[in-house]
């Protein structure tokens, strides 16, 4: 039996690595267009960085252990606590708002399922030091622009947005008490995945009566009719929160992404630290897990680093995005090609090929030749398999001194050249 990778971990053969690089390039491109700069942090962190604020779900999934110095540590399951710690430590000397991005590899001991592995890469874009909803809109537009960069449209992807402040006010309005709030959030979060009876049962166990439960489920769908919804908002005294959210939606219009966005109060996010507007991107057919998720976490820097700064951001994984791109035929087939293959005939040897290769490489070309002394026919076959853009053949008995034959990929015929002149222009 040959040893495989651990369950939920991936081997990146060159084809898979090319796909990953394609995704990273798109991510970096959008981050740059929005004026974000790149940072990174350590893959191992003190365990309590996560146990303090991230919430039970992610803490259950930690890869944690005691190191040789008897410290309780964990592989990072997400980037946000590291970012909060790093920014809080130097907050005074930084230009605000901070606009940072990173592409960390993250580790979560998850139950294996489609789109969820035990390691993944995640684009993180965060803004720190801006309380206005224009920052929320900016980030949502960035996440959506990533979709556009990969040639996905609003027919492929939907952004579902909500606001925890608004939701809190509405939940209080229908009679959910503070101790019941976590159960109400959990029920909304699982609305798509678990049967209604199961959710009702859990709510009842948290002390939520049947009529309040019914109102809770109604609330999740109440945004469809804006006039009726405004009425509910007024009744709950949540006008200020609703105004903020509407302003945010208006900004998404100006940023050109409004058609992707849908208000959806069942988006509450699994992580505990969110305090305001939250969002997730999903494939429009609803076949896959979330592509991306994020929101505002205005109190995390204070609780992790003692610095009070508003903050918001999102994380977008490479796994679901990769699946989506493949299923929509948007993942280019990567072809690793060399520029030039150098082959030699019976009148020469591998040394001649080496000298030509060295000259071309010094000029920045990617060059291969057959290692070891091989017959010309075999070398040409290898050049063909490698799909070299050009093959140059030197030192055959038919060629005079200083001459070479050049053949281009996918072109019939070959031409005789003066090797020196050709090297200068290649
Ligand atoms: P999250 O919702 O836990 O948020 O993860 C964000 C995205 O990472 C998900 O939507 C998904 O694409 C991907 N992801 C998460 N877990 C896995 C997994 N096990 N396998 C594959 N992909 C996965 C956060 O992590 C927040 N820290 C994001 C954030 C940044 N919030 C503010 N700033």
């Amino acid at each position: 039996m040959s040893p495989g990778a651990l369950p939920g971990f991936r081997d990146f053969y060159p084809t898979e690595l090319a796909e990953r690089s394609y995704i990273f390039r798109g991510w970096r491109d959008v981050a740059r267009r929005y004026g974000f700069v790149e940072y990174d942090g350590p893959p191992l962190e003190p365990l309590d960085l996560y146990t303090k604020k991230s919430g039970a779900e992610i803490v259950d999934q930690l890869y944690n252990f005691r190191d040789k110095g008897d410290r309780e540590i964990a592989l990072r399951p997400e980037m946000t606590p590291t970012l909060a710690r790093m920014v809080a430590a130097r907050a005074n000397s930084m230009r605000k708002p901070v606009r940072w991005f990173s592409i960390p590899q993250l580790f979560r001991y998850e139950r294996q399922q489609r789109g969820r592995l035990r390691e993944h890469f995640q684009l993180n874009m965060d803004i720190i030091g801006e309380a206005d909803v224009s920052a929320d809109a900016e980030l949502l537009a960035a996440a959506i622009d990533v979709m556009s960069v990969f040639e996905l449209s609003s027919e492929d992807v939907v952004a579902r947005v909500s606001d925890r402040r608004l939701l809190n006010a509405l939940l209080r309005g229908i009679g959910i008490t503070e101790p019941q709030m976590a159960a109400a959030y959990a029920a909304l979060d699982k609305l798509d995945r678990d049967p209604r009876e199961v959710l009702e049962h859990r709510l009842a166990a948290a002390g939520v009566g049947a009529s309040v439960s019914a109102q809770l489920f109604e609330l999740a769908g109440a945004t469809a009719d804006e006039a009726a919804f405004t009425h509910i908002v007024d009744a709950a005294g949540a006008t200020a929160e609703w105004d903020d959210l509407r302003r945010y939606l208006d900004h998404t219009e100006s940023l050109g992404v409004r058609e992707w966005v849908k208000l959806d109060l069942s988006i509450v996010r699994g992580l505990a630290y969110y305090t305001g507007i939250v969002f997730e991107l999903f494939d429009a057919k609803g076949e896959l897990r979330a592509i991306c998720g994020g929101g505002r976490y205005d109190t995390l820097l204070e609780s992790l680093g003692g610095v009070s700064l508003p903050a918001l951001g999102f994380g977008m994984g490479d796994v679901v995005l990769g699946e989506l791109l493949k299923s929509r035929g948007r993942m280019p087939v990567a072809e690793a090609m060399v520029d030039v293959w150098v082959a030699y005939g019976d009148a020469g040897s591998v040394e001649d090929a080496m000298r030509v290769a060295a000259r071309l490489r010094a000029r920045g070309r990617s060059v291969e030749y057959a290692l070891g002394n091989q017959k010309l026919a075999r070398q040409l076959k290898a050049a063909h398999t490698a799909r070299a853009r050009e093959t140059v053949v030197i030192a055959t008995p038919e060629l005079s001194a200083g001459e070479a034959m050049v053949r281009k990929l996918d072109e019939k015929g070959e031409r005789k050249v003066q090797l020196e002149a050709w090297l200068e222009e290649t």
Side-chain angles (χ1 to χ4, degrees):
M1 209 176 73
S2 67
L6 285 169
F9 284 75
R10 293 169 290 178
D11 290 327
F12 289 93
Y13 284 82
T15 306
E16 287 86 39
L17 193 70
E19 290 173 357
R20 185 175 106 187
S21 303
Y22 174 69
I23 290 179
F24 285 14
R25 276 199 300 280
W27 282 351
R28 286 210 162 82
D29 179 25
V30 173
R32 181 192 55 78
R33 285 197 234 168
Y34 279 75
F36 282 61
V37 289
E38 190 164 5
Y39 71 99
D40 200 358
L44 282 174
E45 288 277 21
L47 177 64
D48 66 2
L49 189 64
Y50 308 108
T51 50
K52 269 190 195 160
K53 286 286 153 192
S54 293
E57 189 169 326
I58 213 157
V59 167
D60 285 348
Q61 298 169 343
L62 284 173
Y63 275 91
N64 60 308
F65 54 99
R66 199 173 275 278
D67 76 2
K68 290 176 182 164
D70 217 23
R71 296 175 198 89
E72 285 280 10
I73 57 179
L75 277 169
R76 60 186 176 194
E78 57 156 338
M79 198 61 176
T80 315
T82 300
L83 169 73
R85 177 174 65 67
M86 286 170 65
V87 174
R90 298 205 185 157
N92 289 340
S93 60
M94 286 177 177
R95 178 173 78 85
K96 312 241 199 345
V98 170
R99 299 160 84 96
W100 277 11
F101 84 98
S102 190
I103 307 182
Q105 188 174 23
L106 307 176
F107 304 88
R108 299 181 187 184
Y109 198 88
E110 289 233 27
R111 195 169 53 79
Q112 277 219 68
Q113 49 191 308
R114 191 169 175 209
R116 289 290 179 267
L117 301 175
R118 291 185 176 163
E119 93 4 79
H120 70 284
F121 290 88
Q122 199 186 77
L123 168 67
N124 277 249
M125 290 180 71
D126 292 83
I127 297 179
I128 296 177
E130 180 52 67
D132 190 71
V133 292
S134 51
D136 300 74
E138 176 89 336
L139 269 181
L140 180 64
I144 291 173
D145 266 351
V146 173
M147 301 298 111
S148 302
V149 153
F150 292 121
E151 295 174 18
L152 296 167
S153 73
S154 56
E155 312 231 311
D156 301 304
V157 175
V158 55
R160 292 157 66 182
V161 308
S162 181
D163 185 337
R164 282 196 175 188
R165 280 166 307 191
L166 175 64
L167 184 63
N168 275 341
L170 295 177
L171 291 175
R172 277 195 297 271
I174 61 169
I176 300 276
T177 62
E178 268 329 300
Q180 295 166 345
M181 214 44 107
Y185 267 63
L188 286 171
D189 192 33
K190 298 279 180 298
L191 213 54
D192 283 351
R193 273 178 273 160
D194 292 344
R196 180 71 64 101
E197 310 80 68
V198 173
L199 299 177
E200 276 166 357
H201 195 73
R202 284 189 208 141
L203 284 167
V208 180
S211 84
V212 177
S213 271
Q215 287 183 67
L216 174 79
F217 294 125
E218 254 172 53
L219 207 55
T223 52
D225 177 347
E226 190 169 331
F229 186 60
T230 305
H231 207 67
I232 297 175
V233 166
D234 288 344
T239 323
E241 289 85 350
W242 180 221
D243 283 349
D244 268 357
L245 193 58
R246 274 204 291 216
R247 208 153 51 77
Y248 163 80
L249 292 172
D250 288 346
H251 290 323
T252 66
E253 181 86 53
S254 309
L255 288 163
V257 296
R258 181 65 181 90
E259 63 181 2
W260 302 65
V261 182
K262 187 170 176 283
L263 186 58
D264 182 341
L265 294 183
S266 72
I267 296 298
V268 295
R269 309 272 303 124
L271 291 155
Y273 47 65
Y274 292 108
T275 53
I277 291 176
V278 285
F279 75 93
E280 290 190 327
L281 299 190
F282 286 90
D283 68 293
K285 290 188 189 157
E287 290 168 347
L288 306 170
R289 299 290 306 268
I291 304 165
C292 163
R296 192 169 265 287
Y297 50 97
D298 282 346
T299 54
L300 191 64
L301 273 85
E302 173 92 75
S303 39
L304 294 182
V307 177
S308 174
L309 274 176
L312 60 155
F314 69 80
M316 182 186 297
D318 64 326
V319 181
V320 179
L321 179 59
E323 280 185 16
L324 182 63
L325 292 179
K326 279 189 210 157
S327 75
R328 302 286 185 280
R330 296 283 195 279
M331 182 70 93
V333 182
E335 250 193 312
M337 290 174 111
V338 284
D339 295 328
V340 181
W341 189 284
V342 187
Y344 53 90
D346 287 346
S349 74
V350 70
E351 313 288 340
D352 298 309
M354 286 173 170
R355 276 188 279 276
V356 173
R359 297 245 330 245
L360 289 168
R361 286 172 179 160
R363 294 172 68 85
R365 317 311 307 244
S366 69
V367 185
E368 243 195 276
Y369 55 88
L371 299 170
N373 279 304
Q374 291 183 10
K375 289 267 173 257
L376 180 58
R378 196 154 159 228
Q379 295 176 51
L380 293 178
K381 206 166 159 205
H384 184 75
T385 314
R387 295 189 49 72
R389 291 193 177 87
E390 268 185 299
T391 303
V392 59
V393 184
I394 55 173
T396 63
E398 300 77 39
L399 292 168
S400 312
E403 287 179 346
M405 295 299 286
V406 175
R407 181 182 303 161
K408 289 207 162 156
L409 182 72
D410 300 330
E411 265 182 29
K412 282 217 177 77
E414 49 189 3
R415 64 194 168 101
K416 194 179 276 181
V417 298
Q418 289 301 315
L419 183 58
E420 231 1 88
W422 180 80
L423 282 173
E424 283 308 310
E425 76 200 24
T426 297

